[in-house]
Amino acid sequence: MKWWREARFGMFIHWGVYSVPAGTYKDKKIKGIGEWIMHRAKIPISEYEEIAGQFNPVKFNAEEWVQIAKNAGMKYIVITSKHHDGFCLWDSKITRWDIMDASPFRRDILKELADACQKNDIRLSFYHSIMDWHHPDAQAPFYPNYNNKKKSNPNFPGYVKNYLKPQLKELLANYGKIGILWFDGEWIKDWTSPMGKDMYNYIRSLQPEIIINNRVDKGRQGMSGMNEEGNFAGDYGTPEQEVPATGLSGVDWESCMTMNKTWGFKSFDHDWKSSETLIRNLVDIASKGGNYLLNVGPTSEGLIPKPSIERLEKIGKWIKKNKEAIYDTSANPFKFLEWGRCTKKVSKESAILYLHVFNWPDDGRLLVPAIKNRIDKAYLLTDPDKKSLKTKVNDDGVEIRLPKIAPDKISSTVVLKIKGKLDIGEMILSQRKDGSIILPAIEAKLYGEEIKYLSGRKRGRDYIKFFKSTKDWAEWEFKVKKPGEFNVSAKISAKGRGSFQLITANQVLNGTATKTRKDYKFRNISLGTLKLPSKGKTTIKVIPVKKGLKPFNLNSIILSPIQ
Ligand code: FHN
């Protein structure tokens, strides 16, 4: 895993026949991700094969794509050798449903890409779908519901033995050393965990050093990559379209994300994430010890969409200046940082912390909490002279004096070199500079049988799930630096009305959770005002109060100072 852990950043490419309709079928805009159009638009296989007859990406230039990835700072490429529609982007001897026989293009795309990757020292990897909507022994007979989770095809084992495995053998025998086999489509009824384990061993037998993701087995939905028996499957976890709130501890993991809303090209999906979001995603993921697999969906002409190229160029510019703080770094030792993120490089006798400052402090003071080491030096990574920044140790940690203007408005890197083995003291939540106190779900101590913290899944799940029991409660300990009176609110989502209390040493506030649209659509519930009269450690407790209440989800408690 060494090269993979050092790489931190890769390009995902979803490309195939689906880029021809590009989201539109019979003049209708089809909802959902573009590469699923065959299923969502219920396209009969014969019709879909005619569409393949129009797939002629004459502007495809492998060298160009690899240069775009390389200049963006990406170290590996994962391309869909075969997505769910079964169409093969390489010259397969096992089927005519491939780029050589079913399209006018008649060039081996993966071969051209493999050569370009080899030339540019980029690791080529294959995304390969276990689910296959075109093969008669797989899901084809389930038309029009190609993604049928209830039905089994009695011939599926034959598909695995005589089609899936031989094709993977072609891919691992003819295109050089492959970095990762990125399985997908493992959720179907026909695919079992024993098949996954057998497949893992089979792939490993073909290329002993290849990395295999956890979707070779079942159960990746847990995002911890644990399979149904609760064992870790494959070599790394694959959270999708989200960053687990605290990373996935103890395992390697990679967040795969789109740049707009679709993996495969859709002509009318212009909902592009900003370069700021993409760069901060990269930093956030690296700070939690993960890799970022960022997707492009090329057009039917073979071009990466211009908005994708523009963003990748901006990411590349940022990485060029900050690469030391991303590649070959490891997860940060802090639980939370008010101003940004942190990555690190540690050795026995010293450590370097890379402080990624998103919110540059107006007063020029950056607090790095809980550090107990002596500071060797602090400087701006992009300062060619590495001019030392003033540092001051106080009982909250180390304060660094920064220049007025941030070197980069998206994320500026401050290097903090420390002597000796990294020594982080007790991390206690403390009042922010603006006097506010944020108590996030992730930092609560939970008491009771059913209550639990649910972290990262789709759309940023990050909350304490309160159940019916009034024996459950959540408690935060935090440090008050500026006593006073505060407006108190709770960020809550709920399926119905749920009452609860917020309790401190000498006050009780009542709140009622009201129904919200979705679990992850939080609403700020005002709870009234609270006096925190003295400095130092304070505890707040939140407890449900009514029997039979509807479960509610608590994302955070916010105390805003009343000026
Ligand atoms: O169904 C696929 C989808 O088309 C896309 O390939 C994503 C990328 O990780 N994986 C599956 C959905 O989880």
Side-chain angles (χ1 to χ4, degrees), residues 12 14 33 35-36 80 83-84 127 131 133 182 184-187 215 220-221 238 240 256 263-264 458:
F12 214 169
H14 276 70
I33 44 186
E35 68 283 4
W36 274 66
T80 50
H83 204 265
H84 308 329
Y127 162 113
M131 173 165 71
W133 297 336
W182 211 98
D184 202 14
E186 83 292 349
W187 56 82
R215 300 187 188 186
R220 56 117 162 177
Q221 298 302 346
T238 51
E240 182 171 315
C256 58
W263 304 91
K458 289 237 187 276

Side-chain angles (χ1 to χ4, degrees), residues 4-10 282 286 289-292 326-327 329-330:
W4 185 89
R5 288 174 184 145
E6 291 173 2
R8 281 284 169 262
F9 191 30
L282 173 64
N291 280 17
Y292 191 25
I326 295 290
Y327 299 130
T329 59
S330 54

